[in-house]
PDB file of all heavy atoms in Angstrom:
ATOM      1  N   PRO U 305      19.318 -32.579  19.329  1.00 92.00           N
ATOM      2  CA  PRO U 305      20.105 -33.646  18.575  1.00 92.00           C
ATOM      3  C   PRO U 305      21.157 -33.019  17.690  1.00 92.00           C
ATOM      4  O   PRO U 305      22.127 -33.695  17.404  1.00 92.00           O
ATOM      5  CB  PRO U 305      18.987 -34.247  17.628  1.00 92.00           C
ATOM      6  CG  PRO U 305      17.888 -33.247  17.573  1.00 92.00           C
ATOM      7  CD  PRO U 305      17.878 -32.531  18.876  1.00 92.00           C
ATOM      8  N   GLU U 306      21.068 -31.685  17.337  1.00 90.00           N
ATOM      9  CA  GLU U 306      22.107 -31.060  16.590  1.00 90.00           C
ATOM     10  C   GLU U 306      23.377 -30.877  17.463  1.00 90.00           C
ATOM     11  O   GLU U 306      24.459 -30.534  16.867  1.00 90.00           O
ATOM     12  CB  GLU U 306      21.642 -29.682  16.031  1.00 90.00           C
ATOM     13  CG  GLU U 306      21.358 -28.656  17.132  1.00 90.00           C
ATOM     14  CD  GLU U 306      19.956 -28.649  17.716  1.00 90.00           C
ATOM     15  OE1 GLU U 306      19.262 -29.750  17.597  1.00 90.00           O
ATOM     16  OE2 GLU U 306      19.488 -27.640  18.207  1.00 90.00           O
ATOM     17  N   ALA U 307      23.285 -31.123  18.759  1.00 93.00           N
ATOM     18  CA  ALA U 307      24.411 -30.885  19.640  1.00 93.00           C
ATOM     19  C   ALA U 307      24.902 -32.260  20.181  1.00 93.00           C
ATOM     20  O   ALA U 307      25.579 -32.289  21.181  1.00 93.00           O
ATOM     21  CB  ALA U 307      24.033 -30.053  20.831  1.00 93.00           C
ATOM     22  N   VAL U 308      24.589 -33.317  19.467  1.00 95.00           N
ATOM     23  CA  VAL U 308      24.930 -34.648  19.915  1.00 95.00           C
ATOM     24  C   VAL U 308      26.437 -34.794  20.101  1.00 95.00           C
ATOM     25  O   VAL U 308      26.866 -35.474  21.044  1.00 95.00           O
ATOM     26  CB  VAL U 308      24.378 -35.711  18.977  1.00 95.00           C
ATOM     27  CG1 VAL U 308      24.962 -35.612  17.533  1.00 95.00           C
ATOM     28  CG2 VAL U 308      24.567 -37.124  19.500  1.00 95.00           C
ATOM     29  N   ALA U 309      27.244 -34.167  19.277  1.00 95.00           N
ATOM     30  CA  ALA U 309      28.691 -34.356  19.336  1.00 95.00           C
ATOM     31  C   ALA U 309      29.215 -33.766  20.674  1.00 95.00           C
ATOM     32  O   ALA U 309      30.032 -34.451  21.351  1.00 95.00           O
ATOM     33  CB  ALA U 309      29.375 -33.670  18.180  1.00 95.00           C
ATOM     34  N   VAL U 310      28.790 -32.615  21.015  1.00 96.00           N
ATOM     35  CA  VAL U 310      29.263 -32.015  22.261  1.00 96.00           C
ATOM     36  C   VAL U 310      28.740 -32.789  23.503  1.00 96.00           C
ATOM     37  O   VAL U 310      29.472 -32.980  24.473  1.00 96.00           O
ATOM     38  CB  VAL U 310      28.940 -30.515  22.341  1.00 96.00           C
ATOM     39  CG1 VAL U 310      27.529 -30.268  22.608  1.00 96.00           C
ATOM     40  CG2 VAL U 310      29.734 -29.884  23.512  1.00 96.00           C
ATOM     41  N   PHE U 311      27.546 -33.301  23.428  1.00 97.00           N
ATOM     42  CA  PHE U 311      27.006 -34.067  24.530  1.00 97.00           C
ATOM     43  C   PHE U 311      27.743 -35.386  24.682  1.00 97.00           C
ATOM     44  O   PHE U 311      27.938 -35.930  25.795  1.00 97.00           O
ATOM     45  CB  PHE U 311      25.521 -34.272  24.379  1.00 97.00           C
ATOM     46  CG  PHE U 311      24.723 -33.076  24.925  1.00 97.00           C
ATOM     47  CD1 PHE U 311      23.995 -32.265  24.137  1.00 97.00           C
ATOM     48  CD2 PHE U 311      24.640 -32.920  26.334  1.00 97.00           C
ATOM     49  CE1 PHE U 311      23.277 -31.204  24.705  1.00 97.00           C
ATOM     50  CE2 PHE U 311      23.942 -31.880  26.892  1.00 97.00           C
ATOM     51  CZ  PHE U 311      23.228 -30.994  26.053  1.00 97.00           C
ATOM     52  N   GLU U 312      28.095 -36.024  23.603  1.00 97.00           N
ATOM     53  CA  GLU U 312      28.886 -37.261  23.657  1.00 97.00           C
ATOM     54  C   GLU U 312      30.231 -36.998  24.345  1.00 97.00           C
ATOM     55  O   GLU U 312      30.727 -37.802  25.066  1.00 97.00           O
ATOM     56  CB  GLU U 312      29.054 -37.799  22.211  1.00 97.00           C
ATOM     57  CG  GLU U 312      27.834 -38.468  21.647  1.00 97.00           C
ATOM     58  CD  GLU U 312      27.993 -38.962  20.215  1.00 97.00           C
ATOM     59  OE1 GLU U 312      29.094 -38.668  19.616  1.00 97.00           O
ATOM     60  OE2 GLU U 312      27.152 -39.697  19.710  1.00 97.00           O
ATOM     61  N   GLN U 313      30.833 -35.875  23.975  1.00 97.00           N
ATOM     62  CA  GLN U 313      32.073 -35.457  24.577  1.00 97.00           C
ATOM     63  C   GLN U 313      31.930 -35.267  26.053  1.00 97.00           C
ATOM     64  O   GLN U 313      32.745 -35.748  26.855  1.00 97.00           O
ATOM     65  CB  GLN U 313      32.617 -34.190  23.957  1.00 97.00           C
ATOM     66  CG  GLN U 313      33.850 -33.614  24.591  1.00 97.00           C
ATOM     67  CD  GLN U 313      34.177 -32.226  24.000  1.00 97.00           C
ATOM     68  OE1 GLN U 313      33.889 -31.966  22.854  1.00 97.00           O
ATOM     69  NE2 GLN U 313      34.809 -31.392  24.772  1.00 97.00           N
ATOM     70  N   LEU U 314      30.840 -34.594  26.522  1.00 98.00           N
ATOM     71  CA  LEU U 314      30.606 -34.329  27.887  1.00 98.00           C
ATOM     72  C   LEU U 314      30.394 -35.625  28.699  1.00 98.00           C
ATOM     73  O   LEU U 314      30.839 -35.852  29.766  1.00 98.00           O
ATOM     74  CB  LEU U 314      29.411 -33.352  28.096  1.00 98.00           C
ATOM     75  CG  LEU U 314      29.663 -31.927  27.606  1.00 98.00           C
ATOM     76  CD1 LEU U 314      28.381 -31.152  27.601  1.00 98.00           C
ATOM     77  CD2 LEU U 314      30.684 -31.230  28.501  1.00 98.00           C
ATOM     78  N   GLU U 315      29.624 -36.516  28.072  1.00 98.00           N
ATOM     79  CA  GLU U 315      29.324 -37.808  28.720  1.00 98.00           C
ATOM     80  C   GLU U 315      30.635 -38.640  28.910  1.00 98.00           C
ATOM     81  O   GLU U 315      30.842 -39.118  30.034  1.00 98.00           O
ATOM     82  CB  GLU U 315      28.375 -38.617  27.841  1.00 98.00           C
ATOM     83  CG  GLU U 315      28.023 -40.008  28.402  1.00 98.00           C
ATOM     84  CD  GLU U 315      27.180 -40.786  27.435  1.00 98.00           C
ATOM     85  OE1 GLU U 315      27.688 -41.034  26.307  1.00 98.00           O
ATOM     86  OE2 GLU U 315      26.109 -41.204  27.796  1.00 98.00           O
ATOM     87  N   GLU U 316      31.501 -38.627  27.935  1.00 97.00           N
ATOM     88  CA  GLU U 316      32.723 -39.377  28.043  1.00 97.00           C
ATOM     89  C   GLU U 316      33.614 -38.764  29.112  1.00 97.00           C
ATOM     90  O   GLU U 316      34.221 -39.466  29.950  1.00 97.00           O
ATOM     91  CB  GLU U 316      33.462 -39.337  26.657  1.00 97.00           C
ATOM     92  CG  GLU U 316      34.741 -40.064  26.631  1.00 97.00           C
ATOM     93  CD  GLU U 316      35.398 -40.059  25.303  1.00 97.00           C
ATOM     94  OE1 GLU U 316      34.750 -39.674  24.319  1.00 97.00           O
ATOM     95  OE2 GLU U 316      36.607 -40.461  25.197  1.00 97.00           O
ATOM     96  N   GLU U 317      33.721 -37.411  29.173  1.00 98.00           N
ATOM     97  CA  GLU U 317      34.592 -36.763  30.138  1.00 98.00           C
ATOM     98  C   GLU U 317      34.042 -36.976  31.579  1.00 98.00           C
ATOM     99  O   GLU U 317      34.804 -37.164  32.482  1.00 98.00           O
ATOM    100  CB  GLU U 317      34.669 -35.203  29.835  1.00 98.00           C
ATOM    101  CG  GLU U 317      35.497 -35.016  28.535  1.00 98.00           C
ATOM    102  CD  GLU U 317      35.587 -33.522  28.248  1.00 98.00           C
ATOM    103  OE1 GLU U 317      35.086 -32.693  29.058  1.00 98.00           O
ATOM    104  OE2 GLU U 317      36.175 -33.119  27.243  1.00 98.00           O
ATOM    105  N   PHE U 318      32.726 -36.809  31.704  1.00 98.00           N
ATOM    106  CA  PHE U 318      32.151 -37.091  33.066  1.00 98.00           C
ATOM    107  C   PHE U 318      32.397 -38.511  33.569  1.00 98.00           C
ATOM    108  O   PHE U 318      32.871 -38.692  34.693  1.00 98.00           O
ATOM    109  CB  PHE U 318      30.636 -36.851  33.059  1.00 98.00           C
ATOM    110  CG  PHE U 318      30.025 -37.013  34.388  1.00 98.00           C
ATOM    111  CD1 PHE U 318      29.856 -35.918  35.261  1.00 98.00           C
ATOM    112  CD2 PHE U 318      29.520 -38.238  34.836  1.00 98.00           C
ATOM    113  CE1 PHE U 318      29.236 -36.051  36.509  1.00 98.00           C
ATOM    114  CE2 PHE U 318      28.950 -38.428  36.076  1.00 98.00           C
ATOM    115  CZ  PHE U 318      28.832 -37.292  36.921  1.00 98.00           C
ATOM    116  N   ASN U 319      32.191 -39.491  32.714  1.00 97.00           N
ATOM    117  CA  ASN U 319      32.355 -40.834  33.154  1.00 97.00           C
ATOM    118  C   ASN U 319      33.821 -41.237  33.375  1.00 97.00           C
ATOM    119  O   ASN U 319      34.137 -42.033  34.242  1.00 97.00           O
ATOM    120  CB  ASN U 319      31.744 -41.816  32.154  1.00 97.00           C
ATOM    121  CG  ASN U 319      30.156 -41.752  32.165  1.00 97.00           C
ATOM    122  OD1 ASN U 319      29.632 -41.505  33.239  1.00 97.00           O
ATOM    123  ND2 ASN U 319      29.616 -41.955  31.031  1.00 97.00           N
TER     124      ASN U 319
END
Side-chain angles (χ1 to χ4, degrees):
E306 67 272 23
V308 62
V310 69
F311 273 110
E312 287 178 349
Q313 174 189 331
L314 291 171
E315 179 186 59
E316 181 179 349
E317 290 181 4
F318 181 92
N319 289 329

